[in-house]
Amino acid sequence: MDKLHTQDVDNLFRAILCLESVDECYRFFEDACTVKEILDIAQRLKAAKMLMNGENYAVVSKTTGMSTATISRVNKCLEYGGGGYRAVLEKLEKQETEQ
């Protein structure tokens, strides 16, 4: 992961952390990414949530339209990754229950 940890990537993440609303996120990501890239990330987050909730690959694939290979990669991240999906999904769930 040393290739990922660069000053440029740090600056990207700092920029994302500066965003203060969903609207600002839309504006930034529409400029920085293709529509497909944004939709792919959103789809992977949805798959991670479904997998964490105990859904099997077939249900996730049918619901999201993702290939089982991509679902497997998401699942490997959940099992052996850095904990990013879990951290974000737990924070989102906490926000939802507080509202």
Side-chain angles (χ1 to χ4, degrees):
M1 282 295 183
D2 288 335
K3 291 180 181 181
L4 179 63
H5 293 271
T6 66
Q7 186 63 42
D8 290 338
V9 174
D10 285 352
N11 287 336
L12 169 63
F13 292 156
R14 283 190 196 95
I16 293 168
L17 289 170
C18 289
L19 300 172
E20 296 179 357
S21 68
V22 173
D23 184 59
E24 283 187 3
C25 288
Y26 271 102
R27 292 194 325 249
F28 174 76
F29 281 97
E30 285 175 359
D31 286 351
C33 301
T34 66
V35 171
K36 182 172 179 356
E37 289 168 335
I38 296 167
L39 294 175
D40 285 349
I41 294 168
Q43 187 180 57
R44 288 176 186 201
L45 185 61
K46 181 176 184 173
K49 182 176 183 178
M50 293 177 73
L51 291 166
M52 283 179 57
N53 289 335
E55 295 292 348
N56 64 43
Y57 283 27
V59 172
V60 176
S61 179
K62 183 176 180 180
T63 303
T64 65
M66 294 172 72
S67 71
T68 55
T70 302
I71 296 165
S72 177
R73 282 195 298 275
V74 171
N75 193 54
K76 284 181 185 174
C77 289
L78 286 170
E79 295 296 321
Y80 308 108
Y85 281 127
R86 287 188 188 281
V88 167
L89 290 168
E90 287 170 4
K91 288 181 181 191
L92 285 173
E93 185 176 324
K94 184 178 176 184
Q95 279 182 348
E96 291 170 4
T97 58
E98 290 175 353
Q99 291 177 352

